[in-house]
């Protein structure tokens, strides 16, 4: 069975990335916002009525409609991939709030 | 009394004698010199051919490439579900078994860590990478009703939490996030359970495509289109 893994909040991601396994700070430090961004498109598919709208009723023709779900990645040095889908939104909110305070 | 001396030459001479008494081995040269069209010759050749063909197929399918049929809705729309049609067929490269050369974005075939069945999902994170925590998939009893359609649902929501993929494991997710049982349920998959990487969808012929390049690409400006099947 797979090992249990702890979760960390996105606000702690940057500091977690810049701490090496033995506790020392990474040198030079990684800056996620400077790393090149890539995307991976996945979907959420559900059955819908062909004429549009919600789930099909009895006798209606149905199609499978797949809404795209985009995952963002930052490619760091040494090929480390960090999924930043939640981090990007959190950063925009956080930086926006900081700028607002100023 | 000293033990009798045994000379090496006498041992070789005895072995040579022994060898000359053994009938010649069943080799091709020997078969050629036998009576042409003999029953033994045909049977031996036939068995040799069968063994060669078997070994060839075994090596190809086990260590190189294999065509496999799939079923299920977890990889729609990348791999069709095949519910009302013939089951989709995929080309799997066994050269990537045990996670060799697998990258984030590749589609892999692996043995399910809990129930030992075969599964096919997309790799979201390799050892040491960070992945987002996503709320789980729907189950059959969670089918949306018309009233619930309007509400904001709780399935497939990206939470503000991250996971570091453990060493020697990878994180997988089906392309149909709402209807896929993947690492959100069974956790990280040991790389050792990966049987191969999916290179292409071969059947149905109308939906044939290459998947070998992986799903990761440069960020596109503008929205992504709905896929309707």
């Amino acid at each position: 069975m797979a090992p249990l893994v702890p979760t960390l909040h996105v606000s702690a991601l940057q500091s977690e990335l810049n701490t090496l396994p033995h506790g020392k700070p990474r040198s030079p430090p990684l800056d996620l916002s400077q790393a090149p961004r890539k995307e991976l498109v996945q979907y959420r598919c559900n059955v819908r009525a062909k004429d549009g709208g919600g789930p099909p009723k009895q006798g209606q023709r149905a199609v499978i409609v797949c809404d795209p779900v985009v995952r963002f990645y930052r490619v760091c040095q040494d090929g480390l991939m960090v999924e930043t889908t939640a981090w990007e939104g959190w950063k925009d909110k956080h930086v926006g709030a900081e700028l607002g305070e100023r | 009394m000293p033990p009798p001396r045994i000379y090496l030459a006498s041992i070789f001479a005895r072995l040579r004698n022994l060898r000359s008494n053994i009938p010649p081995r069943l080799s091709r040269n020997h078969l050629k010199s036998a009576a042409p069209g003999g029953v033994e010759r045909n049977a031996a050749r036939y068995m040799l051919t069968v063994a060669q063909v078997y070994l060839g197929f075994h090596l190809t399918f086990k260590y190189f490439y294999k065509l496999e049929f799939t079923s299920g809705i977890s990889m729609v729309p990348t791999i069709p579900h095949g519910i009302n049609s013939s089951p989709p067929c995929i080309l799997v490269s066994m050269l990537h078994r045990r996670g060799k050369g697998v990258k984030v974005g590749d589609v892999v075939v692996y043995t399910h860590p809990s129930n030992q069945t075969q599964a096919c999902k997309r790799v979201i994170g390799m050892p040491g990478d960070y992945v987002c925590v996503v709320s789980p998939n729907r189950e059959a009893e969670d089918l949306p009703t018309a009233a619930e359609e309007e509400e904001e649902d709780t399935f497939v929501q990206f939470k503000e939490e991250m996971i570091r993929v453990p060493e020697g494991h990878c994180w997988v997710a089906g392309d149909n996030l709402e209807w896929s049982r993947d690492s959100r349920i069974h956790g990280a998959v040991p790389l050792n359970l990966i049987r191969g990487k999916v290179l292409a969808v071969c059947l149905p012929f109308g939906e044939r495509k290459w998947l070998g390049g992986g799903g990761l690409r440069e960020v596109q400006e503008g929205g992504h289109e709905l896929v309707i099947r």
Side-chain angles (χ1 to χ4, degrees):
Chain A
M1 202 57 207
L4 294 174
V5 281
T7 61
L8 63 131
H9 194 259
V10 281
S11 56
L13 180 62
Q14 187 81 50
S15 58
E16 171 86 12
L17 277 174
N18 283 320
T19 313
L20 294 173
H22 45 66
K24 286 187 179 170
R26 185 190 290 269
S27 175
L30 280 177
D31 187 5
L32 268 188
S33 46
Q34 298 299 320
R37 194 161 71 145
K38 299 243 178 173
E39 68 172 17
L40 175 67
V41 184
Q42 292 196 299
Y43 297 88
R44 35 189 308 181
C45 305
N46 270 305
V47 181
R48 299 257 188 272
K50 198 171 184 184
D51 324 325
K57 296 186 182 70
Q58 193 91 32
Q60 254 183 332
R61 293 208 62 183
V63 285
I64 297 173
V65 179
C66 297
D67 296 311
V69 176
V70 184
R71 287 172 178 262
F72 291 109
Y73 284 88
R74 296 279 184 168
V75 187
C76 302
Q77 61 193 28
D78 307 332
L80 176 70
M81 307 282 287
V82 183
E83 193 192 344
T84 52
T85 319
W87 183 82
E88 307 276 353
W90 174 85
K91 186 194 67 168
D92 291 346
K93 229 184 334 180
H94 185 70
V95 173
E98 264 189 4
L99 287 177
E101 279 172 18
R102 284 179 201 169
Chain B
M1 191 177 133
R5 296 198 69 177
I6 301 170
Y7 294 99
L8 270 183
S10 70
I11 295 177
F12 287 143
R14 270 190 215 169
L15 284 177
R16 224 174 285 128
N17 260 342
L18 202 66
R19 193 176 157 204
S20 61
N21 289 336
I22 296 174
R25 290 211 186 131
L26 193 66
S27 64
R28 284 187 178 201
N29 288 338
H30 168 66
L31 286 171
K32 271 179 196 162
S33 63
V39 178
E40 296 90 356
R41 176 186 170 184
N42 285 344
R45 279 206 164 176
Y46 176 72
M47 281 166 66
L48 192 68
T49 312
V50 167
Q52 281 172 341
V53 169
Y54 173 79
L55 199 64
F57 271 92
H58 171 73
L59 288 178
T60 311
F61 290 157
K62 180 95 180 173
Y63 298 106
F64 294 101
Y65 300 98
K66 191 178 185 183
L67 287 170
E68 284 188 9
F69 289 100
T70 68
S71 64
I73 59 173
S74 69
M75 284 299 283
V76 173
T78 309
I79 301 175
H81 50 73
I83 289 173
N84 288 331
S85 54
S86 60
C89 180
I90 52 174
L91 174 67
V92 182
S93 160
M94 301 298 178
L95 296 170
H96 295 79
R97 69 188 181 283
R98 303 186 179 194
K100 273 182 282 188
V102 171
K103 301 186 300 294
V104 170
D106 288 342
V107 181
V108 294
V109 178
Y110 64 94
T111 307
H112 195 288
S114 309
N115 56 17
Q116 311 302 312
T117 54
Q118 303 301 314
C120 175
K121 301 279 181 286
R122 200 179 281 279
V123 175
I124 298 299
M126 289 302 283
D129 292 351
Y130 288 84
V131 293
C132 286
V133 177
V134 183
S135 56
N137 55 312
R138 285 180 195 269
E139 291 292 339
E141 59 270 18
D142 303 326
L143 265 176
T145 59
E148 284 171 1
E149 276 292 314
E150 304 300 323
E151 298 171 10
E152 184 73 19
D153 55 36
T154 56
F155 302 101
V156 193
Q157 300 295 319
F158 284 81
K159 298 181 181 173
E160 287 194 341
E161 283 176 280
M162 309 283 294
I163 285 176
R164 186 175 187 269
V165 183
E167 287 304 319
H169 291 69
C170 66
W171 199 262
V172 294
D175 270 0
N176 185 359
L177 283 169
E178 211 157 309
W179 297 98
S180 162
R181 295 188 191 122
D182 42 44
S183 281
R184 291 171 290 174
I185 292 184
H186 56 62
V189 176
L191 288 178
N192 227 11
L193 291 184
I194 293 182
R195 288 180 41 243
K197 171 177 154 181
V198 179
L199 293 185
V201 179
C202 309
L203 288 177
F205 195 67
E207 300 196 36
R208 65 191 183 279
K209 64 185 101 157
W210 283 102
L211 302 178
L216 213 60
R217 60 185 183 201
E218 297 298 326
V219 176
Q220 285 181 357
E221 296 304 326
H224 295 272
E225 291 177 4
L226 284 179
V227 178
I228 298 175
R229 299 278 155 170

